[in-house]
Amino acid sequence: MDKYSYIANAHGNYLDELFKAYKDNPNSIDESWKKFFEGFEFAQEKYGENGVATTDAIATPKETAVRNLIYNYRSWAHLIADTNPVRERRHHVTKLEIKDFDLSESDLDSEFEVGAEIGLGKATLRKIVEKLKKVYSNHIGFEYSHVRNSEVHEWFKGKVEAEGFDINPPKEEKRRILSKLNEAVVFENFLHTKFLGQKRFSLEGGENMIPALDRIISKAAELDAAEVMIGMAHRGRLNVLANIMGKTYEEIFSEFEGNQEVDLTMGDGDVKYHLGYSSHMETTSGKKMYVKLAPNPSHLEAVDPVVLGYSRAQIDDEYKGDMGKAIPILIHGDAAVAGQGIVYECVQMSLLEGYKSGGTIHFVINNQVGFTTDFVDARSSIYCTDLAKIVDAPILHVNGDDAEAVNFCANLAVEFRQRFNKDIFIDMLCYRRHGHNESDEPKFTQPKLYNAIGKHPNPREVYVKTLKERGDLDESDVEKLDKEFKTLLQNRLDEIKQNPLPYKPQKIEEEWNHLRRSKVEDFDKSPDTSISQDVIDKVGKAISEVPKGFKPLRQIEKLIKDRKANFFEKKELGWADAELLAYGSLLAEGTIVRMSGQDVKRGTFSHRHAYFFDSNTNEPYCGLNNIQKDQQPLRIYNSLLSEYGVLGFEYGYAMATPNALVIWEAQFGDFANGAQIMIDQFIISAESKWQRMNGLVMLLPHGYEGQGPEHSSARMERFLQMCAGENIIIANLTTSANIFHLMRRQVMWEFRKPAVVFSPKSLLRHPGTISPIKDFTSGRFQEVIGDDYVTNKNVKKVLFCSGKVYFDLLEEQSKKKAKDVAIVRVEQIYPWPQKQIDAILKKYNNPKLVWVQEEPKNMGAWSYINMRIDMDFEVVARKISASPATGFSKVHKEEQANLVKQAFEI
């Protein structure tokens, strides 16, 4: 059969479409057709449209074969590259031999025009293969064939083939690499000798990360970046703090010695390998860089979205949208980057409008073991970095023993990031000299590997040998560097032993210097957060009008009409009006307001409508962006379907911008448990552990309305269980004025606290939540709201409650005309407003006190109140339950009616 019959049988239009797709993106079509069209283009180039040669060259089918060999090296040679310093690579089937392309040794000295493809011009096959091997199968495995953007693909290929052939950094760069590598190796050896058996999660085996990080920061400065934010786990963290961040050796040794006088008024503290730091660093080019290392918990990769949010905030606020100014760097372990889903969430959000931060440089310390788990048990993918492919991020697999190859990858990563504002991964294959920590025995589980590691020279020894063999360095230079640095470390340790350092709190970022820590008395009375009538009118006008020619949906036309009536005729505002007024008033004052979460532009319950959309064109319009000329824009983004990553991002954003109002809204409150790590490890405890304040607001829709176990409770009990030291605000509100004042209070306090608001669902449109305009032009947040209905002297019982159940109790009170039963709303449950409650109780004559909640007795606020609040409460609640709520509507109604009835009868 004719071997070209498949072409003859193909439909002409189909071929045209395939060729067009190939021209747009060669990687978008099947590989066999791709090779066919490459041959076709080659023939056109050499022979012209009519098959007549356009040059004197005589082309043969072997030209196409060599071209295909080049293509395969570009695509697959990373699978055989010499990237593992301590063990053989797994076998992968690759077609990279000349015989795979019907070429033989007799062709090695034949010249081929296609050599121009890799920058050689017309060259022998021998030279072509030699360059391909040097570039693609040496100490760096370049993985980029998955990149579908032709501009990015061609740029990367050009850089690799032009500069990756003969990696030879300038002499000063070599000296810098050796100096930083010397610091890294000697520092680890020194700690291992002086603090034997103490946990430090050493970098030994991966020390080339330190000169690489140094190069990334220096190169970033050369390319006009102003700051980097680093997120990393514990492995190598002390080395980074000392030899990159500039934390003094005295401070680090003092933490090992444990002889500091601790000041617990500043919080409970954390172990030394979780702490953050910030410093101004002068780079090799003489430029200054603001370098920050985020504090992090032991939960691997949890810090990733925090770093991304922080960097985006700096880009928005400090650098006015310039993505090139702030660079996030995430340092991963191989087991964690492959195993922790939060990394996927971060990569997936990297190009989204609301979450992009100009591209992250991911650096993997790939020591091939996760605690005791070998990499073959840690992932199904070939590489730990395979998730990079979901956003077409290039990957550089590099041998951690080759300092100059790692240095090359660092330079290339920064250039790529600054040019394309996209993620890039460096996968540095190395090893872990000790076990997971220094007292762990790794030979229990990897005896063969650790026998090899025990005999393997450290990266500094490897590099020194290379420098000596090339004649780049004298023996005396190496000995001098080693001796001077060891002496410096010993002197610092001796000084600490003789003169312990006084306690000082962790260094915080400059942006927070104008704020103070809170005091207990700060919560006795909220600050005045009212606004003028003029501001109310401006915001009201902005959100109740649309541009000329804009055609909203009919339902939105009614909503706009109602908004206008609320602001300018009725002069009373419902929940959505008040919420938008809070944001608008802050935007007009120049305050950043950022909000994200699933469906937040409209709101899960269709109440917010921060944006309108033209019914014909789908063009968006945001009234809050049109209040006045000198205002901030509203930064509101519908998020990807993630809780953990997005909440972490918003926490990081708020961490960078203390003067911004940053809000995350859950679709339903109980979905917050998908972000429990972020809540526990950062939001609740960061101020105590790391002295890091944060003003993030979490809106968690909560309320028992018969929607079943998964859409009723935001798990208030979990948050209250973790309350201590005024660490967080817990609020469950019933008036529109209170949501307005709470939001403004977040940025008007002289300190910052995270706020968890158990926000309403059905109450969003309940007439009882409406507040008159005067409550916005005067006053402040009300922690407790008393009862104006009762006759004070006759009150025998006070029902304390919080949130939606108040309206059920109010209805019963009105129905019974119960003037002797007062209902008091606790709008802020933590910090518990005892002084405000005492002021209300003074009106009554020793009444019975009852706490009423719609949650089961073992949930909601009761456990906290019963254990922590010194008041003689009886309780009315649903029965103790494993599930938050019944799934049967009829049962729900019966339970709700019974608890309301019981509250008045108890």
Side-chain angles (χ1 to χ4, degrees), residues 204-420:
E204 288 172 84
E207 290 98 332
N208 265 315
M209 189 265 281
I210 295 297
L213 198 51
D214 178 69
R215 181 90 289 266
I216 287 170
I217 293 166
S218 294
K219 188 68 176 178
E222 289 171 28
L223 297 179
D224 294 326
E227 70 173 77
V228 297
M229 180 62 159
I230 304 168
M232 69 181 296
H234 38 279
R235 175 82 48 219
R237 192 179 185 89
L238 296 179
N239 214 315
V240 170
L241 283 164
N243 296 316
I244 295 295
M245 304 298 301
K247 186 171 183 178
T248 67
Y249 299 117
E250 291 98 323
E251 289 177 275
I252 292 171
F253 296 157
S254 182
E255 288 163 356
F256 272 100
E257 287 288 327
N259 57 5
Q260 284 182 324
E261 286 295 323
V262 176
D263 180 3
L264 287 178
T265 64
M266 299 300 288
D268 297 312
D270 201 351
V271 293
K272 52 189 169 287
Y273 40 81
H274 287 172
L275 304 178
Y277 205 74
S278 64
S279 60
H280 289 279
M281 173 178 164
E282 187 165 332
T283 65
T284 51
S285 62
K287 292 188 174 182
K288 286 275 181 79
M289 281 285 277
Y290 194 9
V291 185
K292 304 167 187 177
L293 177 66
N296 75 290
S298 279
H299 293 66
L300 297 175
E301 308 294 346
V303 76
D304 296 359
V306 176
V307 167
L308 301 184
Y310 190 103
S311 299
R312 173 60 181 263
Q314 288 296 92
I315 289 164
D316 283 353
D317 188 19
E318 188 74 19
Y319 304 115
K320 311 307 175 195
D322 187 344
M323 295 276 179
K325 291 296 183 185
I327 301 180
I329 301 171
L330 295 178
I331 301 172
H332 311 275
D334 54 309
V337 77
Q340 293 292 314
I342 186 61
V343 187
Y344 174 87
E345 293 186 32
C346 290
V347 172
Q348 191 63 270
M349 68 170 68
S350 67
L351 296 173
L352 298 178
E353 190 59 37
Y355 305 93
K356 62 186 179 184
S357 51
T360 300
I361 296 174
H362 300 264
F363 193 103
V364 181
I365 304 172
N366 187 343
N367 53 43
Q368 307 177 61
V369 182
F371 206 145
T372 67
T373 303
D374 202 80
F375 73 91
V376 295
D377 296 316
R379 61 178 186 268
S380 297
S381 58
I382 291 175
Y383 294 117
C384 63
T385 52
D386 277 350
L387 85 165
K389 296 175 185 177
I390 63 174
V391 290
D392 291 358
I395 308 153
L396 308 168
H397 307 282
V398 59
N399 191 315
D401 267 2
D402 188 337
E404 291 177 6
V406 177
N407 187 74
F408 175 83
C409 292
N411 277 321
L412 180 56
V414 178
E415 285 187 58
F416 175 85
R417 190 273 178 192
Q418 291 297 79
R419 183 180 180 93
F420 295 108

Side-chain angles (χ1 to χ4, degrees), residues 414-431:
V414 178
E415 285 187 58
F416 175 85
R417 190 273 178 192
Q418 291 297 79
R419 183 180 180 93
F420 295 108
N421 290 143
K422 298 182 77 173
D423 285 23
I424 185 168
F425 283 70
I426 299 172
D427 175 22
M428 187 183 80
L429 281 95
C430 52
Y431 54 91

Side-chain angles (χ1 to χ4, degrees), residues 33-71:
W33 279 111
K34 180 179 175 182
K35 288 183 176 179
F36 169 76
F37 288 130
E38 284 175 347
F40 173 71
E41 284 189 326
F42 178 76
Q44 275 195 324
E45 186 182 314
K46 295 299 176 187
Y47 294 100
E49 293 286 339
N50 301 313
V52 178
T54 55
T55 72
D56 294 335
I58 300 173
T60 69
K62 289 191 176 182
E63 287 278 0
T64 302
V66 177
R67 187 187 186 99
N68 288 339
L69 172 67
I70 292 170
Y71 169 80

Side-chain angles (χ1 to χ4, degrees), residues 565-788:
N566 293 341
F567 274 93
F568 300 106
E569 295 168 21
K570 297 179 181 177
K571 302 217 178 270
E572 56 183 28
L573 305 180
W575 197 279
D577 300 328
E579 190 188 334
L580 294 174
L581 178 60
Y583 306 152
S585 65
L586 291 169
L587 295 172
E589 292 167 8
T591 299
I592 288 176
V593 177
R594 178 183 163 96
M595 182 181 205
S596 87
Q598 293 152 30
D599 313 300
V600 293
K601 286 185 177 180
R602 191 203 74 175
T604 298
F605 310 103
S606 202
H607 83 288
R608 184 171 295 117
H609 291 286
Y611 269 78
F612 301 141
F613 295 87
D614 189 287
S615 60
N616 296 323
T617 67
N618 213 51
E619 277 296 304
Y621 176 75
C622 178
L624 287 178
N625 287 337
N626 293 276
I627 302 166
Q628 59 190 47
K629 285 182 181 177
D630 56 337
Q631 67 161 93
Q632 284 282 346
L634 176 65
R635 294 169 168 90
I636 186 168
Y637 302 101
N638 289 339
S639 76
L640 67 162
L641 197 61
S642 151
E643 285 81 35
Y644 187 3
V646 174
L647 180 59
F649 189 98
E650 301 309 335
Y651 179 87
Y653 199 101
M655 184 176 163
T657 49
N659 297 319
L661 176 64
V662 184
I663 307 158
W664 176 74
E665 182 175 59
Q667 195 172 58
F668 282 90
D670 50 317
F671 293 171
N673 61 16
Q676 199 66 47
I677 290 172
M678 202 54 61
I679 294 164
D680 294 351
Q681 311 309 132
F682 288 90
I683 294 169
I684 295 291
S685 56
E687 187 173 1
S688 180
K689 292 190 297 187
W690 307 320
Q691 292 90 58
R692 294 298 200 276
M693 291 187 287
N694 198 290
L696 177 69
V697 177
M698 295 172 63
L699 296 180
L700 307 182
H702 173 89
Y704 282 62
E705 297 167 355
Q707 290 184 291
E710 268 71 66
H711 296 104
S712 297
S713 174
R715 297 291 193 172
M716 185 186 293
E717 63 278 0
R718 293 181 179 169
F719 291 92
L720 287 168
Q721 181 190 41
M722 296 184 283
C723 287
E726 294 76 47
N727 61 329
I728 194 166
I729 307 300
I730 304 292
N732 193 11
L733 311 179
T734 58
T735 75
S736 63
N738 249 4
I739 188 64
F740 167 87
H741 288 296
L742 180 141
M743 290 294 187
R744 287 184 55 82
R745 185 179 70 169
Q746 282 298 105
V747 291
M748 296 189 73
W749 264 330
E750 294 176 354
F751 50 88
R752 294 290 176 265
K753 296 288 175 185
V756 181
V757 179
F758 292 84
S759 52
K761 295 178 290 183
S762 63
L763 289 195
L764 292 169
R765 295 176 178 81
H766 195 291
T769 65
I770 293 172
S771 300
I773 288 284
K774 68 178 178 60
D775 286 359
F776 302 88
T777 55
S778 62
R780 51 180 50 84
F781 179 78
Q782 290 181 278
E783 292 83 358
V784 185
I785 301 176
D787 191 338
D788 294 333

Side-chain angles (χ1 to χ4, degrees), residues 75-96:
S75 301
W76 312 116
H78 59 83
L79 292 168
I80 63 160
D82 182 16
T83 53
N84 199 320
V86 288
R87 55 179 167 185
E88 291 294 316
R89 292 200 60 179
R90 286 185 290 183
H91 176 69
H92 298 284
V93 177
T94 56
K95 291 187 175 183
L96 297 171

